[in-house]
Amino acid sequence: MARAHDNRQGWGLVAPALIWTTAFFVVPFLMMLALSFAKMEGRSVVTGFFPDNYIRIFTEPSLLRGLVVSLEITVTVTVISMVLAYPLAWIIAFRVPERWQRLVLILTILPFWTSYVVRSYSWLLVLGQNGVINKTLMTLGVISEPISMSASRFATVTGFVHFFVMLLTLTIYANLKELSPNYARAAQDLGAGRLATFRHVILPLTLPGLMTGAFLTLVLCIGDYITPQILGGNNELTLPQLIMMQLGRRGDFPMASAMAVVLMGIVTLAYLFSARWLRIDRL
Amino acid sequence: MTAAPVSAFRKSISLSLLAATALTAAAPATIAPAFAQSQELNALVWCDHTDPELVQPFEEEHDVRVNLREYEGTAAGLAILEQSRPGDWDVLVIDAVDVGRAVDLGIMAALPADELPTGDFFPELVMEDLNTRDGTTYAVTEKFGYNTIAYNKAAVDPADMTNFETLFSGKYDGRIAIYDYYLPVLGMLSLSEGIDTGDLDAEALETLREPLFDLRARSSQVSEVVASQTALATGEVDILVGGGEWLTAVLASENADLDWTIPEQGGVLWAQSIGVLESSENKDLATEFVKYIVSPEGQARLATSSCYWGMPANAAAGDVLTDEEKTVLRWDDQPDFLTRVQRYPVPDAELDTAMQDLWTDMLQQ
């Protein structure tokens, strides 16, 4: 009797979230999945089961390239952000006095408070031919001609890294702060040097925070349209840019849906990898 | 051993969610049309109509709120209409060359031709063949301009810009940007190859592949409106293929060196039309809005809109515009310009797909 009551109460509590998720995620996703198997004939959508869109994504060089470019940029951004964020989080957690840590964290995430679009355009002004970097290097006599940095993959990666280092710093910092100093002491008592302590004790214990941040970076980066659109100069198109092109220019909703499903597939694979690695299911 | 990491993991998730929330909050909001109030007009427009200076006088005069939603590209506009409920939208701004496409779909309402001041229009811009079907007027031209070559005359020899071939000479490699809209740029390339834009078909399109890819290799970026303006304004590039007064006029006060020209091979004429949607439940008010937009006052405001400038179709707007504004718009040169340009290509669905495929291939080079 009590168990039945608990069950009812449990369902009552999860029902709003369940209904919300079903109505605004599951149903739209199924509709998108169905639409991805439709095709365009002229300017009309023909429903049915046509795998043509998926075949095109993996066989047409320009579309396949979009997928490859997206993956290359995402992996690059994730790795660079991890490498930069870890030492930053370490310094904040262990080198900055306790009373200043919150302030430093706030300063670290300060760029979050500005518009994403404005921040991306700001990078154009920094990286441009007449931008801050080129002007400074030319004034110092390091270079005689401006270096071409904007409208490139370098610019896109820079814009992304600037953003995601903040995100990763937060997740790694949280992990480092929870770590008992006794682990390091125990390792050192057993004869481990600083490097060995870090490699065999600290790093494995902070992997969850690192990988959580890495997963979020991957998900947000691979689906981002704004940064490559503003900073990439259309010199190579990512998958989200190609999706926008299908929607905005061609009105080809079936192809856009198929591309979105592929994108979701990649994110799902990344999640499954993370879940297996980090045992997210235990939370 | 796992308690600390799992707890930390939970905390890190919380912090990450906070960060993600901040990210979401920082993301730009989309413009959602407001519906349901009786005295409202919903217009699907290009960005130049969103200038409050343009819309406010009409709102005050008619005690109406005009809800505007921007879109880019006819396909996107038609897709928005298809997903909306009948009556959601009252007014549509559309490429003049695509009016026929909208008429074919049965979405355009007839306009009272005798109440439109087309008698005052530049004759080439009445475009009866595009705006009218079987004697019924479905749209009216409101603004026009040119897709040609925009450049920074402080960094580029203006004489070089009178010949499209100069762009392939190597002199300006890496200093060129291409406007990211396939129709005008393919139209310009078509003219440079001696093919009229009206004759551009699948076979002719293939002859453009090589010069398009060549031009791409010489360019540093392919950019949409704002990015193009930024690139020219910051000196990132010195030349924009596909640019024109719509790009440089709005920057004229900041940088007088930004200029544009129509090369001897010719340029492409862009024109936008405005009409009332058949499903509108406010057809009378929507028609009043159209009449306001093509009135001399509305035309002057639209011509100098904050998003981009362009020539008003109604020549009577010349009485309202200031001399400085007319100078920037090159008012007195229009008769000459209009003889040296051709309209946008008007591809059917199949050719449009082929053009976009070619464009995508070019972007991914």
Side-chain angles (χ1 to χ4, degrees), chain A residues 249-263:
Chain A
R249 292 243 171 110
R250 301 183 177 221
D252 190 344
F253 284 78
M255 176 54 94
S257 301
M259 286 178 166
V261 169
V262 170
L263 197 59

Side-chain angles (χ1 to χ4, degrees), chain A residues 199-214:
Chain A
R199 190 176 154 199
H200 297 292
V201 179
I202 307 293
L203 184 61
L205 290 174
T206 51
L207 265 182
L210 189 64
M211 293 305 286
T212 305

Side-chain angles (χ1 to χ4, degrees), chain A residues 125-138:
Chain A
L125 302 179
V126 173
L127 299 172
Q129 296 273 334
N130 296 314
V132 178
I133 294 176
N134 270 318
K135 287 269 186 196
T136 306
L137 292 177
M138 287 174 78

Side-chain angles (χ1 to χ4, degrees), chain B residues 81-100:
Chain B
L81 288 172
E82 198 174 300
Q83 292 159 34
S84 306
R85 293 166 302 180
D88 275 356
W89 300 101
D90 304 300
V91 173
L92 177 69
V93 170
I94 187 170
D95 254 323
V97 293
D98 286 325
V99 171

Side-chain angles (χ1 to χ4, degrees), chain B residues 329-351:
Chain B
L329 288 166
R330 300 207 193 164
W331 190 273
D332 295 334
D333 296 326
Q334 295 304 317
D336 171 50
F337 288 164
L338 284 166
T339 62
R340 296 169 54 202
V341 293
Q342 295 187 17
R343 289 180 185 176
Y344 267 36
V346 190
D348 57 21
E350 197 176 338
L351 181 59

